[in-house]
Amino acid sequence: MRLIEYVDCSTAGCRALDQQLIAQIQVIAPGALVRFDHLAVRVGPGCHPYLQTPALRALEQGLASKPGAILDCNSAYRTLVQQWILWNHCQHKRCRISAAATPGSSNHETGLALDVQHAQSWRPHLERFGWDWLGSWDEWHFDFKGSGCKDLRKLSVLAFQKLWNLNYKKSQLTEDGILGAATHAALIQAPTEGFPIGSVPRSKPAAILAQTDFPSLRQGNTGVAVSSLQKALNKKGYKVTEDGVYGPATVAAIRKCQVDAGLASDGVAGMATAKVLGLLA
Ligand SMILES: [Zn+2]
């Protein structure tokens, strides 16, 4: 399906294309976006759990100030494709979307925005650390206003242009990070199931997502990153339940794997352990 034909309210149907775009960003600017799903968060199906590092640190502090609570996140990093879908829904007055920034201009495309369920209960915990609540007209939305961040919005457009150019040698786009007429015309023709060619093989999604930003995972962490770690452990013969919870059994399996690989057996899955488990390219 071409992007212009996409009418689902959820952006989750474009996940494969999104992952190619995020992988492309990791290639252009390694480490610019870092994962946060090892924290006490639950991420929705259309949510890509990436932020810039200062925003991630502030989120960590906010979560630590509310021990035991899990933050439900509906949207964090948005690809150009996701922002286009939301903007297009808004233009057509679909899906009860009353406001959406023009593609290429949203704070979600620079890894400095979070849409949080039960925003009011999180407000004091997030605002203390530099996350601003936008207001009642967009009741889930928080922007990170702390220092040390970059504007990555052009990167979301550039990633698309590079990915397009990899695939269509005869209709090349100017790689300028600007959503002009030619890039927009190409964008709406993008295949929602992903391009034939990505900068990293489609067969290695875990490696794609972990390539440059594998978070140090440890006991108490939960989420998708823990699930992929457990899957990798099982593949290597260290049997654990793939429940997304880094509990004592996962610690024991990691320790065993570390001993076998000649690493310090601290039970924490960092870069070296992730490499042994095939999670890093
Ligand atoms: Zn938002």
Side-chain angles (χ1 to χ4, degrees):
M1 189 198 286
R2 305 280 132 187
L3 185 58
I4 191 149
E5 296 156 340
Y6 192 90
V7 290
D8 263 19
C9 288
S10 164
T11 61
C14 287
R15 209 165 171 80
L17 179 55
D18 282 344
Q19 290 189 340
Q20 285 185 328
L21 288 167
I22 292 170
Q24 192 67 49
I25 286 169
Q26 304 286 21
V27 170
I28 305 169
L33 294 168
V34 286
R35 291 192 80 123
F36 65 82
D37 54 344
H38 56 297
L39 302 176
V41 295
R42 239 186 320 255
V43 294
C47 175
H48 300 296
Y50 290 87
L51 290 169
Q52 291 192 38
T53 300
L56 167 80
R57 295 284 168 247
L59 175 61
E60 261 172 2
Q61 289 176 298
L63 291 168
S65 75
K66 204 180 180 193
I70 306 250
L71 180 141
D72 280 293
C73 181
N74 296 332
S75 183
Y77 181 74
R78 262 184 222 154
T79 66
L80 180 66
V81 163
Q82 286 181 303
Q83 190 63 35
W84 184 88
I85 291 171
L86 298 178
W87 171 81
N88 192 45
H89 286 335
C90 184
Q91 299 290 303
H92 289 92
K93 301 195 167 40
R94 282 197 296 252
C95 305
R96 288 191 287 162
I97 295 173
S98 52
T102 316
S105 74
S106 166
N107 264 357
H108 282 285
E109 293 171 275
T110 188
L112 297 175
L114 276 180
D115 290 348
V116 174
Q117 270 181 45
H118 313 295
Q120 291 310 316
S121 72
W122 283 101
R123 249 181 98 183
H125 301 275
L126 293 175
E127 289 189 332
R128 246 175 82 196
F129 300 102
W131 283 96
D132 271 13
W133 183 58
L134 190 59
S136 54
W137 63 279
D138 191 354
E139 57 179 344
W140 293 345
H141 184 99
F142 289 85
D143 288 306
F144 182 67
K145 300 285 182 162
S147 58
C149 300
K150 292 181 185 150
D151 186 348
L152 302 179
R153 286 175 296 187
K154 277 192 165 183
L155 198 55
S156 77
V157 181
L158 181 63
F160 171 76
Q161 291 169 330
K162 282 190 180 287
L163 196 55
W164 177 274
N165 288 347
L166 265 177
N167 284 274
Y168 304 113
K169 301 268 182 246
K170 287 184 182 156
S171 58
Q172 297 278 294
L173 297 169
T174 308
E175 296 180 1
D176 57 6
I178 296 166
L179 189 65
T183 300
H184 190 263
L187 177 63
I188 61 177
Q189 296 301 324
T192 55
E193 67 281 7
F195 285 99
I197 305 168
S199 60
V200 261
R202 264 204 280 196
S203 56
K204 281 187 152 187
I208 290 171
L209 295 175
Q211 206 175 30
T212 55
D213 63 339
F214 193 82
S216 215
L217 295 172
R218 61 189 69 229
Q219 186 156 12
N221 289 157
T222 55
V224 183
V226 176
S227 301
S228 46
L229 183 72
Q230 290 168 330
K231 186 172 262 177
L233 281 166
N234 277 322
K235 249 190 178 162
K236 295 273 178 186
Y238 302 98
K239 295 287 172 224
V240 283
T241 310
E242 292 175 22
D243 57 1
V245 179
Y246 205 121
T250 303
V251 174
I254 288 290
R255 281 187 192 277
K256 192 156 188 319
C257 161
Q258 288 172 326
V259 170
D260 291 348
L263 299 170
S265 73
D266 57 4
V268 176
M271 298 286 274
T273 308
K275 209 163 215 166
V276 169
L277 288 169
L279 285 167
L280 285 172

